[in-house]
Amino acid sequence: MSTNNGRFQPKPEDKFSFGLWTLGNRGRDPFGDAVRPTLPPNDIVAILGEVGAWGVNLHDNDLVPIDASSAERDRIVREFKQACKDHGVVVPMATVSLFFHPVFRDGGFTANDPEVRAYALQKTMRAMDLGAELGAKIFVLWGGREGVETDACRRADEAVKRLRDAVNYLCEYNITCGYGYKFALEAKPNEPRADIYMPTTGHYLGFIPTLEHPEMVGVNPEVAHEQMAGLNFMHGVAQAWEAGKLFHIDLNDQMPGRYDQDLRFGSANPKAAFWLVKFLEDVGYDGPRHFDAHAYRTEDCCGVKDFASGCMRTYLILKEKAARWNGDREIRAILKEISQGNGTSALAKYSKKNAASLSAHSFDKEAILKKRLPYERLDQLTVDILLGVR
Ligand code: DIG
Ligand code: MN
Ligand code: MN
């Protein structure tokens, strides 16, 4: 990807990370075979180092085949650690695949077969061991198979109980092993299951307080998944942040009303991506900027690099636009004007005295209606900045 005078070049402090499965995506889809060759994990690490990414993430089986011997596993891990060292790439997050192997066809933690539920716990514990060995401090749980095609198979509240038991168990394992993980729960409304339990970040925010170690558990919102549910992604992120639960984030993009597209960040809806980047930068979010996305099926290996560079470049462009927006004199003046109060807001802080004053206060609705709300101008200034004419 050609870059003009080095602007928007990723740096380690940007904390851009990619999963092995993102650059390793071979372009297979439900209607077509793979179009790209397999990229070995250590080659992916080399590419990430080349394009300036900070981190690489992985599911257990992205790196270690599910039935590898312990000697084979140790060799693979040793060589992977060396590749990360050689290319200056860290491992901030690990996760577990409880969705690819057929044994999880009915779910993992919520499956009806107690042996499957136990195997899901064992597999996750081993994935936690692997991640800890690689230095990961965030462990994502995405319940892609935790769902139904028919609600005849189990009561939905039983599924919630099973999920809670599993997360409580893994929190205890985290404590016993002293891994220091923060768990980040990732929601999705459907695909591959017809309905997935915990379909949105909001559902997980309601679930976390019911856990035995809620302080250890947060969320990993993904752009495409919340937008599949028709939601404003930044609002969900803002609520998670405000609750102190934004432990990780999956950045990509998504067209409305479609399957999970996992598009290059900012490529479908740059304005929504702008509000997200502005929020993350305004509040000082210090976590990984993880791109859970993949290149178009039409791309070759060079196109995969373009995809990865494009994710980071767009984030940095929008970060600069956010600084421009925050510094714009007319925008600042409008924000000041629309936030001005007339003293009645003091009544909103409860005390008996305030409550008495508030109930006695008479509001001049006509005067309130005269207050300008120049949001058309404010949004046009935003569009001007985004389109590069301001
Ligand atoms: C899908 O969006 C999920 C899986 O790729 C993985 O478990 C998680 C990691 O961020 N996202
Ligand atoms: Mn996705
Ligand atoms: Mn994801």
Side-chain angles (χ1 to χ4, degrees):
M1 163 170 286
S2 65
T3 54
N4 45 343
N5 60 42
R7 280 174 72 200
F8 314 123
Q9 283 302 304
K11 301 180 293 301
E13 53 267 34
D14 296 319
K15 292 192 173 180
F16 292 137
S17 63
F18 291 82
L20 282 175
W21 68 91
T22 66
L23 277 76
N25 179 290
R26 297 185 59 201
R28 186 177 285 116
D29 68 27
F31 304 99
D33 204 345
V35 296
R36 292 185 285 266
T38 299
L39 266 181
N42 299 349
D43 292 2
I44 293 171
V45 169
I47 294 170
L48 288 174
E50 182 190 335
V51 298
W54 162 76
V56 62
N57 309 308
L58 66 154
H59 300 86
D60 47 351
N61 301 139
D62 295 333
L63 183 65
V64 180
I66 194 164
D67 291 323
S69 68
S70 57
E72 183 65 354
R73 174 227 181 264
D74 292 348
R75 178 191 63 75
I76 290 169
V77 172
R78 190 172 52 251
E79 291 174 2
F80 183 73
K81 284 168 84 169
Q82 188 57 52
C84 290
K85 191 168 175 227
D86 293 347
H87 298 285
V89 176
V90 297
V91 182
M93 179 273 273
T95 182
V96 59
S97 173
L98 299 179
F99 48 85
F100 191 79
H101 194 286
V103 76
F104 298 120
R105 66 197 186 288
D106 184 34
F109 299 140
T110 64
N112 283 352
D113 183 342
E115 198 172 5
V116 172
R117 298 202 296 271
Y119 175 48
L121 277 177
Q122 181 199 72
K123 195 168 190 288
T124 305
M125 290 155 68
R126 288 178 176 165
M128 289 169 66
D129 299 340
L130 172 61
E133 200 173 329
L134 296 170
K137 286 297 178 190
I138 300 165
F139 199 85
V140 164
L141 288 171
W142 172 58
R145 292 282 175 202
E146 312 299 352
V148 297
E149 281 68 47
T150 169
D151 280 309
C153 66
R154 70 182 70 85
R155 267 192 25 193
D157 60 330
E158 177 57 27
V160 174
K161 290 182 176 65
R162 290 175 186 172
L163 185 60
R164 179 183 302 114
D165 291 347
V167 177
N168 284 338
Y169 189 103
L170 296 168
C171 284
E172 293 297 344
Y173 185 67
N174 186 34
I175 293 166
T176 302
C177 299
Y179 286 152
Y181 276 124
K182 294 201 295 188
F183 290 95
L185 307 181
E186 179 175 345
K188 188 177 181 182
N190 59 69
E191 191 197 29
R193 300 306 296 268
D195 289 296
I196 296 179
Y197 299 123
M198 304 293 166
T200 73
T201 293
H203 287 79
Y204 269 132
L205 290 175
F207 172 70
I208 289 167
T210 71
L211 297 168
E212 283 163 14
H213 297 281
E215 74 290 346
M216 202 181 286
V217 186
V219 291
N220 175 44
E222 177 177 310
V223 175
H225 299 177
E226 301 292 309
Q227 289 185 354
M228 283 170 72
L231 301 176
N232 178 316
F233 181 67
M234 185 270 282
H235 291 185
V237 168
Q239 184 173 349
W241 170 265
E242 202 274 338
K245 291 296 178 186
L246 187 65
F247 286 8
H248 197 261
I249 194 166
D250 273 6
L251 301 173
N252 55 25
D253 215 343
Q254 176 74 23
M255 305 282 277
R258 290 166 174 81
Y259 61 92
D260 185 10
Q261 296 178 298
D262 292 339
L263 296 171
R264 185 180 79 255
F265 180 65
S267 61
N269 189 340
K271 190 177 181 185
F274 168 74
W275 293 125
L276 172 65
V277 170
K278 180 172 164 1
F279 178 82
L280 293 175
E281 297 303 321
D282 284 353
V283 300
Y285 167 71
D286 190 35
R289 275 82 169 154
H290 173 233
F291 298 105
D292 184 7
H294 55 76
Y296 300 141
R297 188 166 183 264
T298 47
E299 298 303 304
D300 60 12
C301 294
C302 293
V304 169
K305 281 188 199 173
D306 287 342
F307 149 77
S309 298
C311 283
M312 298 183 286
R313 180 179 172 80
T314 299
Y315 188 102
L316 292 173
I317 292 170
L318 294 176
K319 181 177 175 181
E320 184 184 87
K321 297 284 185 187
R324 183 181 295 272
W325 195 95
N326 288 335
D328 187 283
R329 290 166 64 89
E330 187 176 348
I331 288 174
R332 292 163 73 96
I334 292 174
L335 292 176
K336 188 164 181 270
E337 178 193 343
I338 61 177
S339 316
Q340 262 159 1
N342 60 0
T344 48
S345 55
L347 294 176
K349 185 155 175 45
Y350 187 81
S351 69
K352 277 190 183 162
K353 183 166 170 286
N354 268 2
S357 312
L358 182 58
S359 51
H361 186 82
S362 60
F363 287 91
D364 179 349
K365 290 189 283 297
E366 289 311 312
I368 293 171
L369 282 171
K370 286 194 179 73
K371 185 170 174 179
R372 287 180 68 238
L373 296 172
Y375 295 170
E376 283 286 353
R377 178 66 185 152
L378 193 53
D379 190 72
Q380 184 58 45
L381 289 168
T382 305
V383 171
D384 280 15
I385 288 171
L386 289 179
L387 297 182
V389 297
R390 186 176 179 90

